[in-house]
Amino acid sequence: TYNPTYTSPTLQREGGSMEQEMGELRRYRTQSISRGEFALSDSFYFYRKGLESIVDDQVTQRFSSEELVSWNLLTRTNHNFHYISLRLTVIWGLGVIIRYCVLFPLRITLAIIGLSWLVIGTTLVGFLPNRRVKNWLSELVHLMCYRICARGLSATIQYHNKNNKPQKGGICVANHTSPIDIVILANDGCYAMVGQSHSGLMGVIQRSMVRSCPHVWFERSEMRDRHAVTSRLRAHVAAKSNLPILIFPEGTCINNTSVMMFKKGSFEIGGTIYPVAIKYDPRFGDAFWNSAKYNMVSYLLRMMTSWAIVVNVWYLPPMTRQEGEDATKFANRVKSAIAHQGGLLDMAWDGSLKRDKVKEEFKEQQQKMYSSMVVGKKARNSQEPHTESTRR
């Protein structure tokens, strides 16, 4: 049987803090780490961590498709594949014919209808005056088009705790697995999208959508200006009649097994945060977009030739910043709630490691931790005799 929260045993790594693990390395020596002195055995801690990262890298494996417990009769992902039986091969061949010759033409037709109606419908609604009728028609068109597109993916969606659905004037934040996350969430309600302005077909869709609904599109130059982005989002949230903003704070797609660091910018805007957890069932199709391996066209082809897109969506209770809580701590609190509800691994690493190198500050953090253990404790130990003599 398949367990949707299954993770490979190699993803769970035992170990405590740096001080505890170094204490274990020193236990056969008379020298204790509490004395705050350097020991040659301390270097083995860093050697071991380096080897663990090479053998079982917990970060970069989040940027490739998750391992399945059993084969789902889709593309073979096991490079060590060996022939099993004629029956299984025949079943797989029939599946290819059904998926590519029957399901795919129907799905591509539905997708074209949905996108065409989205452009035409939002453009027509955009000519109406800014009144309640326009807002109602805009939400109706968006909802109808997204539901048609969801049918084009054979999406089977189960929504939980609908009483916690994002409300107008709020900010909806969710974990990010795929570009179709937007379709999955917008299938149950309308959102104001946030993103960079594009050209080509995507630009046509964006310009038509913004005619009827206050989506927030930024030019490339504006995206680099953090204050400009924050001020525009804050102005959108201030108008309580505006649709909730949909934001994916990870900034990149993660492979449906974990939640990585949330960028704090989304939590500096103010207002109410509505967390949403999204968890796909990989038995019927891998929804994760590995942008380093597939372009958008190849990815959508994989989606439309899978068996189905089966997903669970949990609406979590709204959250606000507590007194004395900064944006980083608030972001981590929301991220932990989403990870717990979705059965995902809560990770502190930045998703930008998908494309960038490890930041120097992460290396410096490890150096500071070790320095504080050795230098800091040594300084405290040297002060203790002075304190005793003063008391006497």
Side-chain angles (χ1 to χ4, degrees):
T1 59
Y2 172 78
N3 181 5
T5 60
Y6 171 83
T7 55
S8 172
T10 58
L11 301 183
Q12 302 293 335
R13 201 184 306 182
E14 297 294 334
S17 64
M18 179 186 293
E19 186 172 354
Q20 291 173 338
E21 294 191 38
M22 285 189 178
E24 286 292 317
L25 293 171
R26 292 190 183 193
R27 63 181 178 177
Y28 296 112
R29 296 170 54 89
T30 56
Q31 185 179 13
S32 172
I33 195 170
S34 60
R35 295 174 58 186
E37 297 179 359
F38 170 76
L40 186 60
S41 60
D42 293 348
S43 60
F44 288 103
Y45 167 82
F46 298 102
Y47 293 152
R48 184 171 66 184
K49 289 297 180 182
L51 290 173
E52 285 178 350
S53 297
I54 294 172
V55 175
D56 181 22
D57 184 356
Q58 287 192 316
V59 179
T60 56
Q61 62 181 283
R62 308 300 168 186
F63 308 136
S64 58
S65 297
E66 62 179 308
E67 294 291 334
L68 295 178
V69 180
S70 60
W71 185 38
N72 57 3
L73 296 178
L74 293 175
T75 304
R76 300 186 186 277
T77 56
N78 186 357
H79 297 291
N80 298 319
F81 166 75
H82 58 277
Y83 177 79
I84 298 177
S85 69
L86 178 62
R87 178 185 299 178
L88 188 61
T89 304
V90 171
I91 293 174
W92 176 77
L94 290 174
V96 171
I97 295 173
I98 293 172
R99 289 186 291 111
Y100 281 86
C101 299
V102 179
L103 296 179
F104 178 65
L106 294 175
R107 290 169 176 173
I108 197 69
T109 301
L110 287 172
I112 293 173
I113 293 173
L115 291 176
S116 300
W117 175 235
L118 179 64
V119 174
I120 297 172
T122 53
T123 301
L124 293 176
V125 172
F127 288 110
L128 298 176
N130 292 323
R131 295 179 180 176
R132 295 178 63 180
V133 176
K134 178 180 179 179
N135 295 333
W136 177 75
L137 285 174
S138 175
E139 293 183 19
L140 181 64
V141 170
H142 277 83
L143 198 61
M144 184 187 306
C145 294
Y146 282 121
R147 287 180 175 176
I148 294 174
C149 291
R151 301 300 181 271
L153 295 169
S154 296
T156 302
I157 313 168
Q158 183 68 40
Y159 297 98
H160 307 271
N161 307 324
K162 285 195 172 187
N163 55 306
N164 294 325
K165 284 180 60 176
Q167 302 297 316
K168 291 185 176 181
I171 303 172
C172 175
V173 298
N175 58 300
H176 199 22
T177 303
S178 161
I180 66 172
D181 291 340
I182 297 173
V183 177
I184 298 302
L185 292 178
N187 195 64
D188 191 44
C190 293
Y191 297 90
M193 308 300 174
V194 179
Q196 180 180 317
S197 298
H198 293 274
S199 57
L201 177 61
M202 183 62 71
V204 173
I205 297 174
Q206 287 182 323
R207 287 190 293 271
S208 63
M209 290 172 63
V210 80
R211 287 176 180 270
S212 63
C213 181
H215 298 288
V216 185
W217 307 127
F218 297 97
E219 297 297 333
R220 183 181 295 272
S221 57
E222 290 182 292
M223 291 296 289
R224 298 192 184 97
D225 189 347
R226 181 176 171 183
H227 295 289
V229 173
T230 303
S231 61
R232 285 192 61 183
L233 295 179
R234 188 175 286 122
H236 181 97
V237 173
K240 299 303 179 183
S241 60
N242 285 340
L243 293 174
I245 296 177
L246 176 59
I247 299 178
F248 300 102
E250 289 169 296
T252 190
C253 295
I254 311 299
N255 73 347
N256 196 45
T257 63
S258 58
V259 183
M260 302 192 78
M261 186 181 79
F262 278 8
K263 306 293 191 299
K264 66 177 182 179
S266 307
F267 303 87
E268 294 175 331
I269 301 171
T272 304
I273 298 292
Y274 293 89
V276 176
I278 305 173
K279 177 68 175 179
Y280 292 89
D281 190 338
R283 291 179 298 176
F284 303 95
D286 182 16
F288 169 62
W289 182 33
N290 186 351
S291 56
K293 188 175 181 181
Y294 303 103
N295 58 32
M296 180 60 74
V297 175
S298 300
Y299 170 75
L300 292 177
L301 177 63
R302 288 169 56 86
M303 290 297 94
M304 291 186 176
T305 55
S306 62
W307 294 113
I309 300 299
V310 181
V311 57
N312 282 278
V313 176
W314 289 272
Y315 297 113
L316 279 66
M319 302 174 70
T320 55
R321 284 177 66 172
Q322 298 175 349
E323 185 177 354
E325 185 179 41
D326 60 21
T328 302
K329 292 181 179 178
F330 183 33
N332 290 332
R333 183 160 61 90
V334 174
K335 175 171 68 75
S336 298
I338 291 175
H340 176 74
Q341 180 63 75
L344 304 166
L345 187 62
D346 186 2
M347 302 189 69
W349 291 98
D350 190 348
S352 63
L353 291 172
K354 184 176 185 178
R355 302 175 182 86
D356 303 329
K357 294 182 179 180
V358 178
K359 296 180 180 179
E360 290 296 326
E361 61 187 61
F362 288 115
K363 301 177 184 178
E364 293 174 359
Q365 184 180 10
Q366 296 293 317
Q367 295 169 350
K368 289 178 181 178
M369 287 175 60
Y370 181 68
S371 176
S372 63
M373 287 168 48
V374 177
V375 180
K377 290 190 175 183
K378 188 173 183 178
R380 288 197 298 270
N381 291 338
S382 63
Q383 291 176 357
E384 289 179 359
H386 175 72
T387 305
E388 284 294 324
S389 60
T390 304
R391 290 176 179 173
R392 292 176 183 175

